[in-house]
Amino acid sequence: SSGINAEYGENYLIMLMTTLNTLLDNSPEAYHNYLELQGRDFLYDMLHYQTFRSYVLLVIKTLSTYISVSEDEDDVRCLLHMMQQNPNNTELKLDILDCLSELFLSFPPSQYRFQSPDGFLFISNLIVSAGQDSDSNYMPVVGKALKLLQSALHCSPSNIHYFETQVEYSSLTKSLELLPCFSTDPPSQENIITLFKFLMGLALDLEPELCGPVSRDLSNDTVLVSKHSQLVDKMEYYDRCIVYPRILTTILVLTRLSQSDETLATVCEWVLQM
């Protein structure tokens, strides 16, 4: 019957992708055969089906170990394009964002590939589009996008410098300012607090010990928090790191938009405890 055939077909495809992953693992020859036979086209067709997605992403992570020696268009770029081409498929976006985050943390040489396809700019655009989506539950995508940003910057001076000079933190701040939680009347404090938790996780992961000494002037940043002397002292303590105070400044700018003294007090207390 058609049910039996469908089940057989699913099992066959799962077995095929599992076998492909085994063959590709530590086998440059299998990788080159995969490229010659247009294996990527098959994989990306399968990504659209929830049943096979976890198997496809497993193969893609295995393939990504070859990107440092491959001149072929890499899978990081392909995954970003797939999210752009499927703006309404939230589950697909969440799965791909998780895949890339895990890839950058487990295989750091892959991080630099996030620069060439404008991956950092893509994150800002993804945050904006998530807020414009008709689906009111946009926070999971925003959270995963910030997690991906964290993974791409983690212990990567090259990416940190690129993000600071080519994308700028003001771009990230402006993207976050456009989220519906700040534009509703009154602002959605629950979503704002959730957003700040994501940003605090990003700031904590990029402590100065991970970034090395960098001289910088905090005068522009401290204007925003002149009434919170303790917090200013906290930021000055981290004056040798570019990323850390920049993320804190983003948090403080957004806190002002929350229009809530309670949220402001909560966030300031979090920062002072860091």
Side-chain angles (χ1 to χ4, degrees), residues 36-203:
E36 289 178 4
L37 297 172
Q38 283 82 44
R40 179 177 282 124
D41 293 341
F42 162 73
L43 277 183
Y44 283 91
D45 283 343
M46 291 297 99
L47 255 183
H48 290 90
Y49 301 96
Q50 182 69 40
T51 304
F52 308 121
R53 193 171 299 151
S54 62
Y55 298 94
V56 174
L57 293 175
L58 180 63
V59 175
I60 288 173
K61 281 187 279 189
T62 298
L63 287 168
S64 296
T65 62
Y66 294 100
I67 65 175
S68 60
V69 297
S70 172
E71 297 180 358
D72 188 66
E73 183 182 23
D74 60 272
D75 287 294
V76 172
R77 184 188 301 273
C78 289
L79 287 173
L80 294 180
H81 286 172
M82 176 154 285
M83 284 191 282
Q84 291 175 325
Q85 293 166 3
N86 297 272
N88 298 320
N89 193 333
T90 300
E91 289 302 319
L92 175 64
K93 287 189 284 190
L94 293 175
D95 287 341
I96 291 177
L97 289 169
D98 272 338
C99 175
L100 288 173
S101 295
E102 293 171 12
L103 168 64
F104 293 155
L105 291 177
S106 62
F107 188 63
S110 64
Q111 289 174 307
Y112 84 97
R113 285 297 181 106
F114 205 51
Q115 296 180 18
S116 58
D118 291 327
F120 293 106
L121 182 60
F122 173 81
I123 289 179
S124 294
N125 292 337
L126 180 63
I127 289 172
V128 173
S129 64
Q132 294 173 341
D133 195 337
S134 57
D135 181 4
S136 59
N137 189 23
Y138 56 89
M139 289 306 295
V141 173
V142 173
K144 297 287 187 183
L146 291 175
K147 180 184 176 183
L148 176 56
L149 175 61
Q150 178 177 328
S151 301
L153 295 176
H154 181 74
C155 293
S156 176
S158 173
N159 277 359
I160 288 173
H161 177 73
Y162 182 88
F163 187 74
E164 169 74 13
T165 58
Q166 301 300 317
V167 182
E168 301 183 352
Y169 294 91
S170 59
S171 174
L172 175 64
T173 303
K174 290 176 182 177
S175 297
L176 294 170
E177 286 176 343
L178 294 174
L179 289 175
C181 56
F182 295 110
S183 59
T184 56
D185 187 18
S188 173
Q189 301 304 319
E190 180 180 357
N191 282 343
I192 290 173
I193 290 294
T194 300
L195 174 62
F196 288 156
K197 287 180 179 178
F198 293 143
L199 289 170
M200 296 294 282
L202 174 61

Side-chain angles (χ1 to χ4, degrees), residues 6-20:
E7 182 179 355
Y8 174 81
E10 287 186 4
N11 290 337
Y12 172 77
L13 287 171
I14 290 172
M15 181 179 67
L16 180 62
M17 284 183 281
T18 303
T19 303
L20 176 61

